[in-house]
């Protein structure tokens, strides 16, 4: 096909480390999106610091208006801009360099990038000038300035354009490589891209009428319809993350220890389950709302009979077992866990990968299911347990996975040496442990009834006052410590990335590689008996923790007032 | 291999024994959780209601005023205190930035709460029992409560409703 194979070899450089052909035009687009991701992350982290110091009532830093303003800023920069810009970079780079193929349309790629950046600037400007004190969810009838909604729409359109180049790139690759299967990493990205399309379309369906409403063209937005459709954007946008960071887990297992999924069919099947079932998760946010029926709630909040949870549990075995099998091939076969003990813990990408999986599974995953069950949501809804859950899932899971893989992107995508590489091995620990403490303490505070998005839980100025259980003081202190640790870890990482990318020494070839890339190991054709007994024990531990936590929550619930 | 196309014959490779057992177990747990929700919904005593009426802020305001007038027993900090008889309909109105009225209920009796908002979304967070529900304008959410413990309870607003959100706190007293 002329359209597919014709074109200048001048577009490509050959990577001297991996041997991949890299389309330089795609690389530039990926770089700009990655830089925007880090800029968003920086804003989010500074905002996070201010928020931790405000909610920790003994400091109570920000005044009330700035608290909600910074909270809006934090939500959108952390959960939307940082994550989606990073994913856009991954989609562009992943669908060209890793497939040895060319960028279908640099023009569309740049247009999308420009729109996304414009949207990002508008939204941030509107928030900081006090024109959008509506928090991330901007529930109607709270109203923001029209340019806030327009900014969100432009960002969504930009993102959608870049996602479309991803699919076009896959088509070119398909024509050039008939009959071949996608690499697993790109397959995971493809699942993320499909979920992204559904998500962004939901965003458009709700933001466009809301924009018209803010202009006065539409008279009325029904609050229940708004909330229903908005969550078609809100929660599924985090499912793009799940799919993307699981893809990154497979990539990191490969890069750090040479691990490969012990059964690719199973891993791919799990990604398909994500595409099929994960996006209905928007029901999580409507479980204690009027207007939707219990059948709708139960079916959707369970991701269609927990098929997406099932998929995550498949990955929870597949990724660590890939590591275990590779390590055993290297000769670390003693007992159940020698493979884990002798793993490259000094490699920040490896320790980041492990912490990301543990925090995502044990904290983000388990609490997510409990928060999302029809009845136990009564305990968790709009308390600090909700942000506690997604601190575990998105910050400990996604952000940490993305931070870890960045240590490979600096040399391979940006062609720079990593600045202060000696510090890198501490970053996942500082950040990961900080986030874990933060998430757990928030979850517990929520279980004591402390609300999220609340400036003053002493209710100053209110007609009554209420004092939460004094035990919460201890968890507020933990919350502060965890939050500060996480901020320190994130800032070190940001400084490393910025110094490397903008002021770093050039990366001249394999001899400059600081972070090791493992040799792949030869896999057996068939497994006799247990392939990964250590992993099997670990996942059993997970399932026990999971069931205990579900049981505890239903126990608490049964002691409450009766309600129907 | 995550970065290269899968090797020859990947589609027909047998699944390892431990992965097979794990998948079976994970699937059973998933199904169990799903059916657990349904069983709880049918047999247990704590379930989010789905009874909802369409209303308007004006209509709901009228209904609440009529309810307050009928059962009013006093006033506390400028908010009317109301003691409805057991088994009756109770109206609770949320607006920026207060809950009204204050309610006096009897332990062990059932009350049919109607909760709605005059302006934006609010959150009904009953403390310290920690039960949380959403409150909408234009929707009358009907929740039938049976208080199982006596004492003073507070309604914290836990959905952001504007600059005075933190001042929005109401009260329910449950008598023996």
């Amino acid at each position: 096909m002329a359209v597919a194979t014709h074109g200048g070899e001048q577009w490509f450089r050959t990577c001297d480390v991996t041997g991949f052909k890299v389309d330089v035009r795609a690389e530039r687009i990926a770089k700009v999106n990655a830089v925007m991701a880090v800029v968003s992350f920086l804003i989010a982290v500074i905002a996070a610091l201010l928020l931790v110091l405000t909610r920790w009532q003994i400091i109570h830093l920000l005044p009330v208006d700035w608290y909600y303003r910074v909270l809006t800023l934090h939500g959108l920069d952390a959960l939307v801009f940082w994550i989606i810009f990073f994913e856009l970079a991954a989609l562009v780079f992943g669908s060209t360099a890793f497939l040895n193929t060319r960028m279908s349309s640099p023009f569309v790629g740049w247009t999308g990038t420009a729109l996304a950046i414009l949207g990002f600037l508008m939204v941030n400007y509107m928030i900081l000038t006090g024109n959008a004190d509506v928090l991330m969810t901007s529930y109607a009838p709270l109203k923001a300035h029209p340019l806030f909604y327009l900014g969100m729409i432009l960002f969504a359109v930009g993102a959608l354009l870049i996602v479309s180049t991803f699919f076009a790139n896959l088509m070119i690759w398909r024509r050039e490589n008939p009959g071949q299967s996608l690499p697993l990493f790109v397959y995971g990205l493809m699942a993320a891209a499909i979920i992204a399309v559904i998500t962004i379309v939901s965003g458009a369906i709700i933001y466009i009428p809301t924009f018209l409403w803010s202009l006065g063209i539409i008279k009325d937005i029904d609050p229940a319809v708004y909330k229903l459709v908005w969550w078609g954007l809100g929660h599924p946008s985090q499912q793009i993350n799940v799919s993307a960071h699981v893809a990154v887990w497979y990539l990191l297992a490969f890069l750090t220890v040479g691990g490969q999924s012990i059964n690719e069919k199973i891993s791919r099947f799990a990604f398909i389950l994500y595409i099929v079932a994960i996006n209905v998760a928007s029901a999580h946010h409507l479980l204690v709302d009027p207007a939707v029926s219990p059948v709708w709630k139960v079916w959707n909040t369970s991701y269609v009979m927990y098929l997406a949870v099932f998929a995550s549990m498949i990955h929870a075995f597949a990724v660590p077992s890939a590591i275990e099998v590779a390590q055993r091939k290297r000769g670390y076969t003693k007992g159940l866990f020698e493979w884990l003990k002798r793993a490259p813990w000094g490699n920040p990408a490896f320790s980041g990968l492990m912490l990301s999986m543990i925090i995502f599974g044990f904290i983000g995953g388990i609490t997510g299911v409990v928060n999302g069950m029809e009845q136990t949501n009564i305990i968790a809804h709009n308390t600090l347990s909700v942000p506690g859950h997604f601190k575990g899932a998105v910050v400990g899971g996604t952000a940490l996975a993305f931070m870890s893989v960045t240590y490979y992107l600096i040399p391979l995508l940006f062609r720079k040496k990593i600045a202060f590489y000696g510090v890198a091995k501490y970053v996942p620990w500082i950040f990961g442990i900080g986030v874990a403490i933060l998430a757990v303490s928030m979850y517990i505070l929520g279980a004591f009834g402390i609300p999220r998005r609340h400036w003053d839980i002493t209710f100053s100025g209110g007609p009554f006052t209420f004092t939460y259980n004094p035990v919460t003081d201890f968890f507020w202190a933990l919350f502060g410590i965890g939050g500060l640790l996480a901020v320190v870890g994130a800032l070190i990482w940001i400084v490393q990335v910025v110094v490397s990318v903008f002021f770093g020494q050039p990366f001249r070839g394999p001899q400059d590689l600081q972070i090791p890339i493992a040799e792949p190991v030869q896999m057996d054709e068939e497994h006799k008996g247990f392939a990964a007994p250590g992993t099997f024990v670990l996942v059993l531990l997970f399932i026990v923790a999971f069931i205990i936590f579900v049981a505890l929550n239903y126990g608490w619930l049964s002691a409450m007032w009766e309600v129907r | 291999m995550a970065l290269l196309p899968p090797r020859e014959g990947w589609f027909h490779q047998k699944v390892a024994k431990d992965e097979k057992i794990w998948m079976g177990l994970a699937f059973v747990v998933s199904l169990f959780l799903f059916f657990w929700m349904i069983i709880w919904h049918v047999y247990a005593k704590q379930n989010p209601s789905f009874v909802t009426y369409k209303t308007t802020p004006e209509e709901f305001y009228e209904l609440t005023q009529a309810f307050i007038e009928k059962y009013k027993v006093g006033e506390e900090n400028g908010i009317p205190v109301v003691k409805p008889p057991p088994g009756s309909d109770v109206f609770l109105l949320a607006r920026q930035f207060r809950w009204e009225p204050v309610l006096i209920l009897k332990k062990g009796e059932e009350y049919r709460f109607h909760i709605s908002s005059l302006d934006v979304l609010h959150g009904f967070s009953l403390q310290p029992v920690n039960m949380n529900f959403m409150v909408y304008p234009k929707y009358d959410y009907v929740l039938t409560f049976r208080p199982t413990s006596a004492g003073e309870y507070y309604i914290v607003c836990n959905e952001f409703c504007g600059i005075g959100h933190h001042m929005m706190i109401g009260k329910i007293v449950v008598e023996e």
Side-chain angles (χ1 to χ4, degrees):
Chain A
M1 291 304 256
V3 64
T5 52
H6 189 75
E9 284 298 312
Q10 76 273 11
W11 293 333
F12 293 101
R13 69 172 171 86
T14 304
C15 180
D16 45 18
V17 180
T18 58
F20 282 121
K21 266 167 61 190
V22 182
D23 185 335
V24 184
R25 301 165 309 162
E27 193 181 45
R28 284 192 207 112
I29 297 172
K31 277 184 191 173
V32 171
N33 278 287
V35 168
M36 287 310 298
V38 176
V39 171
S40 313
F41 191 50
L42 176 63
I43 299 173
V45 169
I46 293 170
L49 177 63
L50 297 172
L51 295 174
V52 167
L53 295 180
T54 304
R55 289 236 50 185
W56 195 3
Q57 204 95 15
I58 56 173
I59 301 176
H60 211 51
L61 184 68
L62 294 176
V64 59
D65 49 346
W66 275 97
Y67 168 73
Y68 294 117
R69 202 161 294 158
V70 170
L71 187 56
T72 313
L73 188 75
H74 173 70
L76 285 165
D77 277 295
L79 282 170
V80 179
F81 297 130
W82 138 245
I83 300 272
I84 293 190
F85 272 125
F86 198 97
E87 282 155 0
L88 294 176
L91 287 179
V92 170
F93 195 60
S95 65
T96 53
F98 295 159
L99 297 177
N100 289 304
T101 187
R102 69 178 177 88
M103 180 72 184
S104 50
S105 170
F107 175 74
V108 175
W110 281 118
T111 311
T113 307
L115 283 177
I117 293 175
L118 184 62
F120 161 85
L121 291 174
M122 283 165 71
V123 169
N124 275 278
Y125 180 76
M126 279 297 132
I127 295 170
L128 284 170
T129 50
N131 285 305
D133 293 340
V134 291
L135 303 194
M136 185 183 88
T137 43
S138 56
Y139 287 140
L142 286 175
K143 200 187 278 185
H145 193 283
L147 289 182
F148 169 80
Y149 301 111
L150 187 62
M152 292 304 292
I153 294 168
L154 291 181
F155 180 79
V157 171
L160 203 54
L161 285 178
I162 295 180
V163 173
S164 70
T165 66
F166 172 83
F167 291 116
N169 294 347
L170 289 198
M171 283 170 66
I172 292 177
W173 169 84
R174 165 59 70 208
R175 286 178 178 178
E176 289 175 349
N177 303 276
Q180 246 191 50
S181 303
L182 282 176
L184 185 57
F185 173 65
V186 185
Y187 194 84
L189 288 182
M190 183 194 68
I194 293 172
I195 296 169
V197 172
I198 306 169
T199 303
I200 295 170
V201 169
S202 303
I205 291 175
I206 199 58
Y207 276 121
I208 290 171
T210 310
F211 170 59
L212 297 176
W213 169 69
S214 70
L215 286 172
I217 297 172
I218 291 180
K219 276 269 160 307
D220 200 29
I221 294 274
D222 186 280
V225 172
Y226 177 91
K227 193 166 177 243
L228 174 78
V229 186
W230 192 88
W231 280 110
L233 164 79
H235 212 112
S237 64
Q238 308 313 313
Q239 315 298 2
I240 314 173
N241 306 345
V242 174
S243 209
H245 82 223
V246 172
V248 166
W249 287 350
Y250 282 109
L251 177 64
L252 286 174
F254 179 67
L255 291 173
T256 56
V257 298
Q260 307 167 31
S261 168
I262 61 169
N263 195 312
E264 286 222 359
K265 183 168 59 178
I266 299 296
S267 298
R268 282 162 200 253
F269 169 64
F271 277 119
I272 291 178
L273 287 181
Y274 276 164
I275 299 172
V276 171
I278 210 165
N279 260 13
V280 292
S282 40
H284 293 345
H285 301 267
L286 287 90
L287 293 175
V288 293
D289 282 23
V292 278
S293 79
V295 176
W296 184 91
K297 286 175 182 174
V298 168
W299 180 255
N300 288 291
T301 197
S302 68
Y303 312 92
V304 189
M305 301 205 276
Y306 289 111
L307 284 186
V309 174
F310 176 49
S312 287
M313 290 199 277
I314 293 176
H315 293 305
F317 183 87
V319 182
S321 66
I323 297 168
E324 176 168 0
V325 169
Q327 287 285 86
R328 284 181 185 274
K329 284 266 160 197
R330 290 217 168 75
Y332 304 125
T333 51
K334 231 189 294 155
L336 278 175
F337 295 117
E338 196 199 13
W339 61 276
L340 197 56
K341 223 162 47 193
R342 303 288 293 274
W345 291 99
N347 178 347
F350 182 81
S351 57
L353 162 67
M354 294 308 282
L355 288 168
S356 168
M357 287 196 289
I358 292 169
I359 297 172
F360 180 80
F362 280 86
I363 302 177
I366 292 180
T367 61
V369 170
V370 169
N371 290 3
M373 291 182 83
E374 192 207 357
Q375 298 91 6
T376 38
N377 185 255
I378 294 174
I379 309 175
H381 182 75
N382 269 353
T383 67
L384 266 186
S385 296
V386 176
H389 149 69
F390 65 74
K391 254 47 174 192
V394 186
V395 190
T398 309
L400 186 50
F402 288 181
M403 286 162 73
S404 308
V405 79
T406 303
Y407 287 118
Y408 283 103
L409 293 182
I410 293 172
L412 299 180
L413 171 65
F414 286 97
R415 307 287 297 172
K416 290 288 168 78
K417 288 183 74 168
I418 303 167
F420 324 115
Y421 182 65
V423 187
K425 63 169 177 263
Y426 303 109
V427 171
W429 294 102
I430 301 173
F431 184 76
I433 292 174
V435 169
I437 295 175
L438 178 73
V440 170
S441 53
M442 285 173 93
Y443 199 88
I444 295 172
L445 287 168
F448 280 105
I450 308 237
R452 68 186 291 203
R453 300 174 157 186
H454 203 281
W455 179 65
D456 181 11
I457 50 162
T458 62
F459 311 100
S460 54
F464 308 105
T465 190
F466 169 68
T467 310
Y468 286 96
N469 190 323
V471 179
T472 54
D473 291 343
F474 170 72
F475 291 102
W476 278 120
L478 272 188
F479 162 91
I481 293 164
L484 294 179
L485 264 181
V487 166
V488 168
L491 287 177
I492 297 174
W493 179 84
I494 291 170
V495 168
Q496 271 193 304
V497 173
V498 171
V499 172
S500 310
V501 169
F502 293 105
F503 314 102
Q505 297 168 316
F507 177 84
R508 284 179 305 265
Q511 71 280 5
D512 280 347
L513 197 64
Q514 298 147 295
I515 183 163
I517 296 181
E519 283 295 319
V521 272
Q522 194 57 44
M523 299 284 282
D524 294 335
E525 279 310 312
E526 298 296 338
H527 306 281
K528 287 176 211 75
F530 276 30
T535 303
F536 191 71
V537 172
L538 294 178
V539 290
L540 287 184
L541 196 70
F542 169 82
I543 212 89
V544 170
F546 190 8
I547 290 170
I548 289 177
F549 197 63
V550 172
L552 275 177
N553 272 276
Y554 273 92
W556 289 325
L557 185 69
S558 69
M560 291 181 177
W561 287 12
E562 291 172 16
V563 64
R564 63 185 164 84
Chain B
M1 192 182 295
L3 268 184
L4 298 175
R7 64 213 138 102
E8 216 43 45
W10 65 274
F11 197 79
H12 301 289
Q13 192 195 351
K14 274 210 189 99
V15 184
K17 201 172 172 187
D18 41 358
E19 189 160 34
K20 219 184 256 174
I21 299 173
W22 169 246
M23 283 175 69
L25 185 63
F27 190 60
V28 169
V29 168
S30 301
L31 285 186
F32 167 75
L33 291 174
F34 176 72
F35 288 107
W36 176 256
M37 270 196 290
I38 298 172
I39 292 167
W40 190 279
H41 193 99
V42 176
Y43 295 106
K45 299 208 161 71
Q46 287 85 11
N47 281 293
S49 149
F50 55 96
V51 181
T52 308
Y53 300 125
K54 257 302 200 190
T55 182
T56 61
E58 297 75 31
E59 183 195 42
F60 196 81
Y61 180 78
E62 293 298 322
L63 286 167
T64 310
Q65 290 313 312
F67 165 71
I68 291 172
E69 238 155 76
K70 199 164 171 193
Y71 300 119
K72 187 170 170 178
V73 292
E75 213 164 271
E76 193 175 349
N77 301 332
I79 301 172
V81 179
V82 168
K83 191 173 180 179
S88 64
D89 282 34
V90 169
F91 289 83
L92 182 66
L93 181 122
R95 63 164 135 177
Q96 291 167 328
F97 300 101
R98 59 194 271 174
W99 298 95
E100 56 189 37
V102 171
L103 295 165
I104 300 176
L105 308 178
K106 205 164 173 330
K107 183 183 157 187
E109 300 290 344
E110 243 182 32
Y111 295 88
R112 202 160 173 264
F113 276 59
H114 296 255
I115 311 178
S116 190
S117 159
L118 283 196
D119 34 55
V120 296
L121 267 62
H122 296 280
F124 172 95
S125 177
L126 186 70
Q127 296 301 335
V129 275
N130 195 21
M131 302 179 83
N132 305 281
F133 297 92
M134 283 299 293
V135 183
Y136 279 75
K138 298 191 225 169
Y139 290 87
D140 169 6
Y141 197 8
V142 181
L143 289 156
T144 305
F145 280 107
R146 185 200 298 275
T148 51
S149 48
E152 284 192 355
Y153 296 89
Y154 293 90
I155 311 164
V156 174
C157 177
N158 71 359
E159 184 57 77
F160 173 67
C161 58
I163 202 81
H165 173 46
H166 65 277
M167 297 187 288
M168 188 165 165
I169 180 168
K171 187 175 171 184
I172 297 178
V173 180
V174 181
E175 296 177 335
E176 281 290 346

